Amino acid sequence: MMRFLLLFSRQGKLRLQKWFTPLVERERKKVVRDMTLMVLGRPPRSCNFLHWKDLKVVYKRYASLYFCCGLDDKDNELLALEVLHRYVELLDKYFGNVCELDIIFNFEKAYFILDEFLMGGEVQETSKVTVAKSIEASDMLQETMEEYMSKPAF
Amino acid sequence: MPAVSKGDGMRGLAVFISDIRNCKSKEAEIKRINKELANIRSKFKGDKALDGYSKKKYVCKLLFIFLLGHDIDFGHMEAVNLLSSNKYTEKQIGYLFISVLVNSNSELIRLINNAIKNDLASRNPTFMCLALHCIANVGSREMAEAFAGEIPRILVAGDTMDSVKQSAALCLLRLYKTSPDLVLMGEWTSRVVHLLNDQHMGVVTAAISLITCLSQKNPEEFKTCVSLAVSRLSRIVSSASTDLQDYTYYFVPAPWLSCKLLRLLQCYPPPEDGAVKGRLVECLETILNKAQEPPKSKKVQHSNAKNAILFEAISLIIHYDSEPNLLVRACNQLGQFLQHRETNLRYLALESMCTLASSEFSHEAVKTHIETVISALKTERDVSVRQRAADLLYAMCDRSNAKQIVAEMLSYLETADYSIREEMVLKVAILAEKYAVDYSWYVDTILNLIRIAGDYVSEEVWYRVIQIVINRDDVQGYAAKTVFEALQAPACHENMVKVGGYILGEFGNLIAGDPRSSPLIQFNLLHSKFHLCSVPTRALLLSAYIKFINLFPETKSTIQEVLRSDSQIRNSDVELQQRAVEYLKLSSIASTDVLATVLEEMPPFPERESSILAKLKKKKGPGAVSTELEEGKRDGGELNGGAERGVDAAAAIASNASTPSPSADLLGLRSAPPVGSAAPSASSLLVDVFSEAGPTAPSGVMDDNFLSSAPNSSSFGSEESAPPLPESDELLNKFVCKNNGVLFENQLLQIGIKSEYRQNLGRMYLFYGNKTSVQFVSFSTSVSCPGELQSELNIQAKQVEPQVEGGAQVQQVINIECLADFLEAPLLNIKFRYGGALQNITLKLPVTINKFFQPTEMSSQDFFQRWKQLNLPQQEAQKIFKAKNAMDSEVLKAKLLGLGTALLENVDPNPENFVCAGVIQTKAQQVGCLLRLEPNAQAQMYRLTLRSSKDTVSRRLCELLSEQF
């Protein structure tokens, strides 16, 4: 199973963090620090896999963002790489040409989309159509743009 | 700010995020955040009830602030309120906040559980999924207790929606992993297995993760899943790339499900049913065949998905380890990948081949790739690939190729990345020993290791070479000759000096016939290194010298002179001084017969498995992310401590009985240090010889009037001791960085303290001064160790006279032995009568763990290397705090020195910072500690970081020190 998923920028700014096993805040910070240091320090065109402690680390860069996850020792690295890719595709489908700013401003959406796709560190639904449908459905339950614009800013 | 694309963006949130992004500095950001926090707090506290939307918006802002890395200490209640909202969007944000911010032992769990219960019962699939996600995200025991019974019912109920089934399966998996005892097997288990046949691919994909985990724990109950999995796999493998519609991923049918099926099958032995097995073998062959087909797409996603299945199939083939044909095909496939242009595939092929190398069917096939692997070790640009290549060489090594592989690994070591050197050294040492046909090759290899990567050669490695040389007399002469030659190098590593000293001390006589290595030349060579070595190595060399006196009587006068010199006999280090004194006495008093018996050649060590193997296993270190493994402590981080052990043992063995060291631990033979047949008689002789310079403080000496350490055990007084004074902590803190001063003073009594510490022992003088002109009567004091402290400190206090005259002062001596590291301070209770009134005072005796520090000087490089070794989260303790006193660097220095550590100059790149190093000496163990103090004069703040091999020590020191500045 996946232990954690992190999205961070080239400058090491954390954009999304998802922890599938309980860790105290201090340990989380340590993992984030180690991951950003390790991954950002890698020369281009290195392989996408690393070992860290007893975990496998799989990462991939998409434009300005690094997607990085920690896996159990027995897990399949290539498949994890495609989990990352599928997540990117889902974000892309939702936001339309997704970029880092979309994830910054709509971080809660990025979490919701991830929740539709993964749960407890395991793949829940691999079909892009199905995931997209349920995201759409939940958006339908939300306010319209008009309602939104009439809301106060503070 | 980009336009919010869809749904319910929250305008206030977007404005806030954009404000934060526009902040030019960290300070500005913090200011903006504090303003926002104040705003939200006032809204939450305000009299006006907030509407759902505002509540949602503020909770979401808090979440954003938290994710930026700031602490959030309120808003939880509002988030919990959102859970019971009827609006989906509010509920969703509430659940997100809970999932991210609520840790598993929050007090709010009961409220949250209530909301979840309602949502699960709502029969609204979207609400149910949200609730299930929340359970899976938090996954606490309370949640498992509340829902472990309910979720299986939802999972197998006929009318549950597919999406809910998926969530329920994975949610149950999560609960099973955290609290397996709460998830009871039952009627639902057989129905879960049949989800493998479910129409909906998504349901199968989710359910199979659960089934795999359950099968690992209860293989018997779930074994029907094997045939179901095989037939499902077979259907997928044989389907055309478009059959599975949206479950086809870049022309690969259901890669996730295929891999999970193959993984499930790895929980079981090969199917017994011939038909099932035949079908499975067919699947595996098809997968191997497909690898040879031209790709259906040039996209990397296509090849990744396809190869993911291939690697999983190979794992299954290796797991079965029974189909030679498939094993060899797998090996050939991996062989192709070894040369693939994709780095990822080369990496995985190397990794996968490691497991293949251990199968008897494929070991030979793996070996044929040796040249490719060696060239990967030399030419790969990526260190993680090179590391895998080194692992594979280690795995494929056997008697036939050991010399080649060891030679390649040694030459790689010269340029290897620092991060993997220690592991490489261990591997070379293991291979050299395991496959040594002639032991001279083994000796050469280990000496080469020390030469090339001396800093990375751990104790275990050099202990082991000595153990082997001592046990094999055919290699002793060669070993002596080789170390003698190695020591000729002008700069040789300290580990080389250790091995050299030990081996020449034992077997120098075997090469003494050659005039080029005459006894005196040998001695002078060793002694020329003496001054460059650390204390433990010097101690070992002194033992080698006394052995020389026995081996070569002609060196006696020279060596005695060395021992007699002030730098030895008056050495400030107790251990060195003691050895010099003892050895000098031994050599001048004992007859040659006695000498020969005492300093006899080491008896062979009992044959044991190498402790290096255990070390290598430990090297892999537990991950910070796996909670189960958290307990395991990494040994590699122990500072300095290890070296001492080796020398203690060497000393105990060389002189065989002078100071029987309780920690003798040479070569991992913890239980029984080898004792030669002559030892008992030798030791009885030695008792006399050493009667003057006896052991410093064996534990028995203190026992006679050792105060019972139970609290309130004062022999006087039926009156209970008073609780410690409220200011006693503060008084304790005053003495952290100093040993002498006034501990306590009131109108009647003044208590002064003088104390000194050496290694794990301390002596404290307490001076009780009567400030009045009237006699104190029934004066009594007692020292007690509450709770666990009893087993951590051994304290013995001399009794004091029951009267203290007016204006007089009485003295009390307290001996302290530190057995293990400790947190609390011992309590000192004083009772006396003054003019009839009973005075009863309890103070904390200022004995803190730092008193047992031995300063350690080290270079900047050593410091940072050790610092990095201590990288487990629990090994570090950090505090940021406001300065309480003026930030004068001289005062800081004095305090840090008073702490007992060595203050290291020129180590920290920033001259404003302070770094210190020391070893805490307890009877049980030695704990190396590193300290860094970073003052920030502008902010009047400090950041203090401590790292040590023991978490309790780091935390305690951090606590103590943060009160000092």
Side-chain angles (χ1 to χ4, degrees):
Chain A
M1 72 176 261
M2 196 180 273
R3 300 291 190 87
F4 58 81
L5 172 69
L6 305 175
L7 269 61
F8 48 84
S9 70
R10 264 190 300 168
Q11 292 75 35
K13 283 240 178 212
L14 192 60
R15 297 302 182 202
L16 181 140
Q17 45 175 321
K18 183 81 184 177
W19 306 90
F20 297 109
T21 43
L23 277 186
V24 298
E25 192 55 26
R26 223 165 67 87
E27 288 166 337
R28 290 182 180 186
K29 286 198 166 128
K30 164 117 179 80
V31 173
V32 171
R33 196 173 60 212
D34 281 8
M35 287 304 128
T36 43
L37 277 178
M38 260 170 45
V39 169
L40 295 175
R42 307 254 304 157
R45 279 185 298 141
S46 300
C47 78
N48 298 90
F49 315 131
L50 292 168
H51 274 222
W52 180 80
K53 307 258 168 107
D54 59 346
L55 297 189
K56 290 173 170 177
V57 174
V58 174
Y59 72 95
K60 188 162 184 179
R61 182 178 155 183
Y62 288 90
S64 60
L65 265 192
Y66 282 87
F67 289 65
C68 169
C69 62
L71 307 177
D72 276 336
D73 185 44
K74 290 270 173 205
D75 284 351
N76 191 314
E77 291 102 328
L78 285 174
L79 208 59
L81 212 47
E82 295 321 299
V83 167
L84 299 182
H85 187 75
R86 179 44 49 107
Y87 182 45
V88 174
E89 287 183 343
L90 291 168
L91 291 171
D92 201 60
K93 193 170 164 74
Y94 182 79
F95 289 109
N97 238 335
V98 66
C99 68
E100 195 181 335
L101 280 181
D102 292 320
I103 293 170
I104 295 172
F105 278 93
N106 303 286
F107 68 97
E108 79 282 10
K109 294 287 179 204
Y111 279 97
F112 296 149
I113 294 170
L114 185 62
D115 272 351
E116 293 291 334
F117 177 41
L118 298 179
M119 182 173 186
E122 301 281 351
V123 172
Q124 176 173 224
E125 177 55 82
T126 66
S127 159
K128 200 155 66 168
V129 175
T130 314
V131 175
K133 249 191 226 154
S134 52
I135 305 270
E136 291 278 310
S138 64
D139 266 350
M140 293 300 285
L141 296 168
Q142 310 195 343
E143 295 94 331
T144 62
M145 201 65 177
E146 242 167 280
E147 277 174 307
Y148 163 70
M149 289 311 290
S150 63
K151 295 280 155 65
F154 278 95
Chain B
M1 185 188 92
V4 175
S5 49
K6 295 190 179 180
D8 81 311
M10 284 162 274
R11 192 140 166 251
L13 177 67
V15 170
F16 174 57
I17 294 176
S18 175
D19 279 1
I20 293 286
R21 284 179 56 74
N22 290 334
C23 285
K24 294 280 184 290
S25 66
K26 193 79 197 163
E27 286 71 37
E29 183 185 309
I30 291 173
K31 216 172 136 199
R32 178 68 185 89
I33 285 171
N34 285 338
K35 182 179 156 205
E36 192 62 42
L37 286 175
N39 172 40
I40 299 173
R41 205 177 261 126
S42 73
K43 297 280 184 200
F44 282 167
K45 281 212 182 118
D47 310 327
K48 218 173 70 192
L50 286 176
D51 61 21
Y53 169 81
S54 310
K55 221 183 268 174
K56 174 184 81 167
K57 183 180 72 185
Y58 294 131
V59 165
C60 207
K61 279 182 180 176
L62 286 177
L63 185 58
F64 180 79
I65 293 170
F66 176 78
L67 290 169
L68 275 180
H70 302 269
D71 284 339
I72 294 295
D73 53 7
F74 68 103
H76 299 70
M77 207 53 215
E78 285 73 13
V80 173
N81 287 340
L82 286 178
L83 297 185
S84 33
S85 163
N86 288 326
K87 280 206 167 155
Y88 177 75
T89 129
E90 287 163 19
K91 202 186 263 297
Q92 197 182 24
I93 294 288
Y95 272 123
L96 180 62
F97 183 94
I98 302 292
S99 302
V100 175
L101 254 107
V102 171
N103 54 23
S104 34
N105 46 21
S106 163
E107 298 146 21
L108 293 172
I109 288 282
R110 247 172 358 100
L111 291 173
I112 298 169
N113 277 359
N114 223 5
I116 292 175
K117 203 165 278 164
N118 292 335
D119 280 335
L120 285 183
S122 72
R123 308 187 61 80
N124 173 337
T126 17
F127 286 12
M128 288 173 88
C129 283
L130 278 181
L132 289 167
H133 265 287
C134 182
I135 300 173
N137 277 322
V138 178
S140 67
R141 190 141 181 107
E142 288 93 334
M143 285 203 174
E145 275 163 5
F147 303 110
E150 173 70 10
I151 296 170
R153 274 200 294 279
I154 298 177
L155 176 59
V156 297
D159 56 350
T160 306
M161 299 268 294
D162 287 333
S163 61
V164 178
K165 266 190 204 169
Q166 286 167 276
S167 299
L170 292 175
C171 182
L172 188 57
L173 169 61
R174 176 65 208 280
L175 294 187
Y176 185 70
K177 280 184 178 167
T178 34
S179 317
D181 54 312
L182 294 178
V183 179
L184 303 173
M185 299 299 130
E187 184 252 348
W188 60 276
T189 37
S190 61
R191 298 179 61 185
V192 163
V193 174
H194 284 276
L195 289 177
L196 285 174
N197 274 336
D198 202 284
Q199 291 285 315
H200 191 286
M201 294 280 273
V203 172
V204 193
T205 310
I208 193 168
S209 297
L210 173 65
I211 296 168
T212 306
C213 183
L214 292 170
S215 304
Q216 278 163 347
K217 299 276 164 59
N218 326 277
E220 266 309 298
E221 271 182 79
F222 287 87
K223 68 175 183 216
T224 46
C225 71
V226 173
S227 60
L228 293 175
V230 170
S231 59
R232 188 96 210 194
L233 179 68
S234 160
R235 267 180 286 158
I236 298 173
V237 168
S238 57
S239 64
S241 53
T242 49
D243 285 359
L244 302 174
Q245 292 138 7
D246 205 38
Y247 289 91
T248 297
Y249 181 80
Y250 290 88
F251 303 102
V252 181
W256 278 279
L257 184 51
S258 306
C259 285
K260 285 185 173 190
L261 286 164
L262 288 162
R263 170 55 47 82
L264 171 60
L265 291 170
Q266 286 171 57
C267 303
Y268 289 93
E272 282 157 23
D273 182 330
V276 177
K277 188 170 179 193
R279 209 166 167 198
L280 177 57
V281 168
E282 221 170 85
C283 287
L284 293 172
E285 280 172 341
T286 315
I287 294 171
L288 285 167
N289 291 341
K290 278 190 181 171
Q292 302 300 329
E293 287 169 12
K296 294 194 174 66
S297 154
K298 284 213 166 57
K299 285 250 164 68
V300 67
Q301 283 75 27
H302 171 70
S303 73
N304 279 350
K306 193 167 122 179
N307 291 327
I309 300 172
L310 179 59
F311 275 105
E312 210 57 65
I314 290 174
S315 293
L316 182 61
I317 293 170
I318 297 172
H319 167 77
Y320 285 163
D321 199 16
S322 60
E323 300 284 326
N325 173 37
L326 287 175
L327 278 165
V328 171
R329 280 194 69 184
C331 185
N332 291 341
Q333 181 60 55
L334 294 178
Q336 281 184 20
F337 284 154
L338 283 184
Q339 320 237 26
H340 203 279
R341 59 185 171 77
E342 276 268 341
T343 317
N344 285 346
L345 289 178
R346 295 200 300 278
Y347 175 99
L348 294 174
L350 288 166
E351 187 180 63
S352 195
M353 260 200 187
C354 268
T355 39
L356 211 48
S358 55
S359 159
E360 55 170 321
F361 298 111
S362 51
H363 183 77
E364 287 303 315
V366 171
K367 272 168 63 185
T368 59
H369 299 288
I370 184 166
E371 296 302 333
T372 321
V373 182
I374 287 174
S375 99
L377 185 64
K378 287 179 176 161
T379 58
E380 281 288 353
R381 291 189 342 185
D382 185 339
V383 53
S384 46
V385 185
R386 290 199 296 273
Q387 164 120 49
R388 295 285 84 75
D391 286 350
L392 177 54
L393 282 180
Y394 176 75
M396 66 161 68
C397 190
D398 62 16
R399 218 167 273 286
S400 73
N401 55 19
K403 283 202 173 170
Q404 183 189 8
I405 286 178
V406 166
E408 292 294 348
M409 287 173 87
L410 269 177
S411 77
Y412 173 61
L413 249 184
E414 303 202 33
T415 53
D417 309 80
Y418 296 107
S419 54
I420 64 174
R421 281 195 184 183
E422 192 184 352
E423 197 182 322
M424 291 281 296
V425 166
L426 292 174
K427 286 182 167 168
V428 170
I430 290 166
L431 292 179
E433 181 187 336
K434 197 165 167 195
Y435 298 114
V437 184
D438 72 281
Y439 278 87
S440 52
W441 173 71
Y442 169 74
V443 170
D444 284 341
T445 305
I446 301 297
L447 294 187
N448 263 329
L449 263 187
I450 297 176
R451 224 186 336 255
I452 294 171
D455 282 343
Y456 299 90
V457 171
S458 54
E459 300 295 325
E460 284 83 351
V461 173
W462 75 262
Y463 291 175
R464 188 69 181 164
V465 68
I466 285 171
Q467 187 181 23
I468 284 174
V469 169
I470 284 175
N471 287 12
R472 309 204 156 252
D473 41 19
D474 52 328
V475 75
Q476 290 161 356
Y478 180 79
K481 182 166 156 288
T482 326
V483 290
F484 178 77
E485 280 162 10
L487 287 174
Q488 308 277 354
C492 56
H493 196 273
E494 192 164 334
N495 279 335
M496 188 71 89
V497 179
K498 288 179 184 158
V499 176
Y502 202 108
I503 287 185
L504 292 180
E506 293 291 330
F507 308 114
N509 56 327
L510 300 177
I511 56 167
D514 187 328
R516 284 167 301 176
S517 52
S518 73
L520 221 51
I521 296 181
Q522 285 186 39
F523 170 74
N524 286 333
L525 181 62
L526 280 180
H527 199 53
S528 69
K529 314 285 183 198
F530 189 90
H531 305 280
L532 305 170
C533 291
S534 63
V535 168
T537 308
R538 289 185 189 193
L540 184 148
L541 285 177
L542 289 179
S543 299
Y545 296 169
I546 185 71
K547 289 221 138 193
F548 265 50
I549 292 184
N550 176 47
L551 288 181
F552 317 116
E554 66 266 37
T555 58
K556 183 168 166 179
S557 59
T558 318
I559 291 176
Q560 281 184 332
E561 206 161 307
V562 169
L563 292 176
R564 207 177 288 126
S565 71
D566 276 357
S567 62
Q568 307 299 351
I569 213 159
R570 295 184 194 277
N571 195 294
S572 61
D573 185 274
V574 171
E575 178 69 30
L576 291 182
Q577 191 187 89
Q578 187 183 347
R579 282 190 197 211
V581 171
E582 289 180 6
Y583 294 159
L584 187 59
K585 271 268 189 270
L586 175 66
S587 69
S588 44
I589 296 177
S591 69
T592 42
D593 284 355
V594 172
L595 264 189
T597 321
V598 174
L599 302 171
E600 201 185 26
E601 187 178 305
M602 283 290 300
F605 289 87
E607 288 294 341
R608 294 274 185 101
E609 204 205 334
S610 164
S611 56
I612 308 180
L613 273 175
K615 167 102 177 174
L616 180 65
K617 282 175 204 142
K618 264 191 217 153
K619 256 299 284 175
K620 294 280 176 186
V625 185
S626 58
T627 26
E628 313 82 55
L629 291 171
E630 283 285 76
E631 305 302 311
K633 289 248 166 62
R634 215 178 103 176
D635 232 9
E638 175 108 346
L639 294 180
N640 305 332
E644 280 286 306
R645 280 207 305 263
V647 172
D648 279 352
I653 290 156
S655 58
N656 231 337
S658 77
T659 26
S661 163
S663 55
D665 183 31
L666 187 67
L667 314 174
L669 307 175
R670 263 160 229 273
S671 46
V675 176
S677 53
S681 60
S683 69
S684 62
L685 278 173
L686 281 167
V687 172
D688 292 334
V689 176
F690 288 129
S691 55
E692 295 167 70
T696 39
S699 48
V701 173
M702 287 184 159
D703 282 351
D704 38 14
N705 66 352
F706 167 58
L707 257 189
S708 156
S709 46
N712 308 331
S713 68
S714 158
S715 51
F716 296 80
S718 39
E719 308 100 334
E720 297 275 297
S721 297
L725 294 177
E727 67 267 33
S728 61
D729 275 313
E730 203 181 310
L731 297 173
L732 178 78
N733 279 329
K734 263 172 48 189
F735 282 85
V736 168
C737 292
K738 64 176 185 180
N739 287 337
N740 307 326
V742 174
L743 174 65
F744 173 78
E745 186 160 11
N746 64 12
Q747 276 152 2
L748 307 177
L749 178 74
Q750 182 193 49
I751 306 176
I753 280 194
K754 257 188 176 173
S755 51
E756 56 194 30
Y757 292 88
R758 181 159 292 175
Q759 301 196 321
N760 70 326
L761 303 174
R763 177 165 297 165
M764 185 178 274
Y765 300 89
L766 292 172
F767 302 92
Y768 302 97
N770 181 345
K771 289 171 69 179
T772 68
S773 51
V774 184
Q775 189 191 47
F776 292 162
V777 291
S778 306
F779 188 84
S780 77
T781 68
S782 69
V783 180
S784 61
C785 296
E788 283 179 16
L789 198 58
Q790 268 182 64
S791 56
E792 294 158 348
L793 281 182
N794 187 354
I795 295 192
Q796 168 222 346
K798 298 255 164 56
Q799 294 301 348
V800 287
E801 292 294 317
Q803 283 94 31
V804 184
E805 297 301 328
Q809 192 182 54
V810 295
Q811 179 188 335
Q812 181 179 31
V813 183
I814 294 177
N815 286 320
I816 304 154
E817 182 187 20
C818 176
L819 305 173
D821 67 282
F822 58 95
L823 302 174
E824 293 300 320
L827 299 179
L828 170 68
N829 174 253
I830 303 126
K831 289 199 200 81
F832 59 91
R833 286 186 184 276
Y834 167 73
L838 177 76
Q839 307 291 323
N840 186 347
I841 302 165
T842 302
L843 297 166
K844 290 195 173 174
L845 203 59
V847 180
T848 44
I849 184 70
N850 64 294
K851 299 293 178 194
F852 303 97
F853 253 129
Q854 288 269 100
T856 315
E857 291 292 342
M858 57 176 80
S859 68
S860 162
Q861 192 195 353
D862 285 345
F863 183 87
F864 283 109
Q865 188 192 334
R866 290 188 176 146
W867 184 266
K868 276 187 227 141
Q869 276 171 356
L870 295 170
N871 60 356
L872 295 184
Q874 67 267 30
Q875 291 175 331
E876 183 182 284
Q878 191 174 72
K879 250 192 183 165
I880 296 173
F881 51 90
K882 267 238 171 302
K884 295 194 189 72
N885 305 307
M887 297 174 91
D888 178 339
S889 76
E890 289 310 311
V891 175
L892 288 179
K893 269 187 198 164
K895 283 195 172 162
L896 288 169
L897 284 172
L899 181 70
T901 51
L903 184 60
L904 306 176
E905 303 282 350
N906 303 325
V907 166
D908 201 294
N910 180 351
E912 302 293 308
N913 294 345
F914 298 93
V915 294
C916 302
V919 179
I920 299 226
Q921 308 270 348
T922 75
K923 194 177 180 201
Q925 68 178 136
Q926 296 169 320
V927 184
C929 306
L930 302 175
L931 176 156
R932 188 176 196 203
L933 180 69
E934 300 160 87
N936 180 341
Q938 206 180 2
Q940 288 288 302
M941 301 277 279
Y942 291 99
R943 179 162 73 176
L944 172 70
T945 314
L946 271 138
R947 287 191 176 189
S948 83
S949 46
K950 205 147 179 243
D951 53 345
T952 45
V953 172
S954 304
R955 281 205 302 274
R956 179 59 179 160
L957 285 172
C958 194
E959 236 167 67
L960 285 172
L961 262 182
S962 59
E963 298 296 321
Q964 298 301 316
F965 304 111

